[in-house]
């Protein structure tokens, strides 16, 4: 099997794909500092009830795992994942985390990163992916070895439509500064005007 991978800057990855993976994988990405405790709690409850195993990892956690750690599951690896997640959230911007994430995750058998996925699934550059194509790639991320983005089967088609709906709820754009601006407003002292 030949591996396909080509690193590209975030500017060369469609904003639609960036939004699609947030809608698919981690809708609190811009709000949290590496961990979504509500998602972790829901995953734990679901897994305890014996339903299909569900993950609660954020994009930041997945980035730490894919870039710095070995495959597999163990408490030691999970501890390192927590450590590296904290470090990348501390030292990298959300844009940098997204760039590394979209260049390091597997998006098909032996297909790593957004550029390779765009070429493999749709024969185009990652910067030119449409909303539909971006949602199709994001739809396979729970299991890129099992699912196919193009042509999409019934499960991927249904998931793709759900992701596109979520993207519309987000206004079809990912504003990396939205929550930073709100934090700055909350921390700024208000100006008092004097009346004469």
């Amino acid at each position: 099997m030949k591996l396909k991978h080509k690193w590209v800057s975030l500017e060369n990855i469609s904003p639609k794909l960036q939004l699609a993976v947030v809608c698919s994988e981690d809708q609190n990405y811009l709000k949290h500092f590496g961990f979504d405790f509500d998602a972790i709690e829901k995953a734990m409850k679901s897994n305890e009830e014996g339903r299909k195993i569900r993950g609660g990892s954020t994009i930041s956690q997945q980035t730490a795992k894919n870039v710095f750690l070995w495959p597999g599951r163990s408490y030691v690896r999970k501890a390192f994942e927590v450590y590296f997640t904290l470090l990348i959230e501390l030292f990298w911007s959300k844009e940098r985390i997204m760039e590394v994430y979209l260049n390091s995750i597997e998006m098909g058998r032996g297909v790593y990163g957004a550029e390779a996925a765009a070429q493999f699934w749709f024969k185009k550059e990652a910067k030119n992916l449409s909303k539909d194509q971006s949602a199709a790639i994001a739809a396979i991320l729970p299991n890129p070895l099992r699912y196919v983005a193009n042509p999409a089967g019934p499960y991927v088609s249904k998931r793709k439509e759900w992701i596109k709906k979520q993207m519309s709820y987000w206004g079809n754009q990912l504003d990396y500064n939205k929550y930073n601006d709100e934090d700055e407003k909350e921390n700024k002292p208000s100006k008092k005007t004097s009346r004469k």
Side-chain angles (χ1 to χ4, degrees):
M1 171 178 63
K2 184 180 177 194
L3 295 180
K4 296 165 186 64
H5 183 258
K6 182 180 179 191
W7 188 282
V8 292
S9 67
L10 193 62
E11 293 78 30
N12 289 314
I13 299 173
S14 170
K16 294 173 181 82
L17 181 58
Q18 296 171 48
L19 178 59
V21 298
V22 167
C23 289
S24 171
E25 298 291 294
D26 184 2
Q27 291 203 12
N28 289 318
Y29 176 65
L30 297 176
K31 294 180 188 177
H32 65 61
F33 298 100
F35 305 95
D36 184 342
F37 294 106
D38 290 336
I40 292 168
E41 185 179 341
K42 285 177 187 173
M44 287 173 60
K45 281 182 183 175
S46 176
N47 297 342
E48 284 172 4
E49 293 169 358
R51 289 188 268 169
K52 184 177 157 187
I53 292 185
R54 175 179 164 171
S57 294
T58 63
I59 286 173
S60 303
Q61 288 175 276
Q62 292 176 51
T63 303
K65 177 185 72 165
N66 290 332
V67 174
F68 299 111
L69 301 171
W70 61 94
R73 292 177 184 239
S74 72
Y75 290 115
V76 172
R77 196 196 61 73
K78 200 62 167 171
F80 278 118
E81 182 183 309
V82 169
Y83 172 75
F84 283 114
T85 299
L86 290 170
L87 284 179
I88 66 174
E89 280 284 340
L90 183 63
F91 292 110
W92 292 355
S93 67
K94 290 291 188 178
E95 292 92 336
R96 177 64 178 160
I97 295 168
M98 180 63 72
E99 178 180 63
V100 173
Y101 173 74
L102 287 174
N103 277 289
S104 63
I105 59 170
E106 192 166 15
M107 298 180 176
R109 189 170 300 281
V111 179
Y112 289 87
E115 185 65 25
Q119 294 288 341
F120 181 77
W121 294 117
F122 298 105
K123 311 289 186 246
K124 58 171 48 176
E125 294 179 324
K127 66 183 176 185
N128 296 323
L129 288 169
S130 69
K131 180 178 181 177
D132 190 73
Q133 294 162 339
S134 296
I137 291 172
I140 68 170
L141 293 182
N143 193 341
L145 302 180
R146 178 178 177 193
Y147 300 120
V148 175
N150 187 29
Y155 170 80
V156 171
S157 293
K158 184 177 176 184
R159 188 162 158 73
K160 180 174 72 168
E161 291 308 313
W162 181 86
I163 292 167
K164 289 188 333 188
K165 191 178 288 186
Q166 297 302 307
M167 292 169 76
S168 294
Y169 292 149
W170 277 66
N172 291 307
Q173 65 180 11
L174 184 61
D175 181 0
Y176 288 102
N177 295 316
K178 181 178 181 182
Y179 295 100
N180 291 340
D181 293 345
E182 288 177 9
D183 292 343
E184 287 173 17
K185 287 177 192 172
E186 288 174 10
N187 294 331
K188 266 188 185 173
S190 60
K191 292 182 180 177
K192 293 183 180 177
T193 55
S194 59
R195 288 191 165 172
K196 292 185 178 182

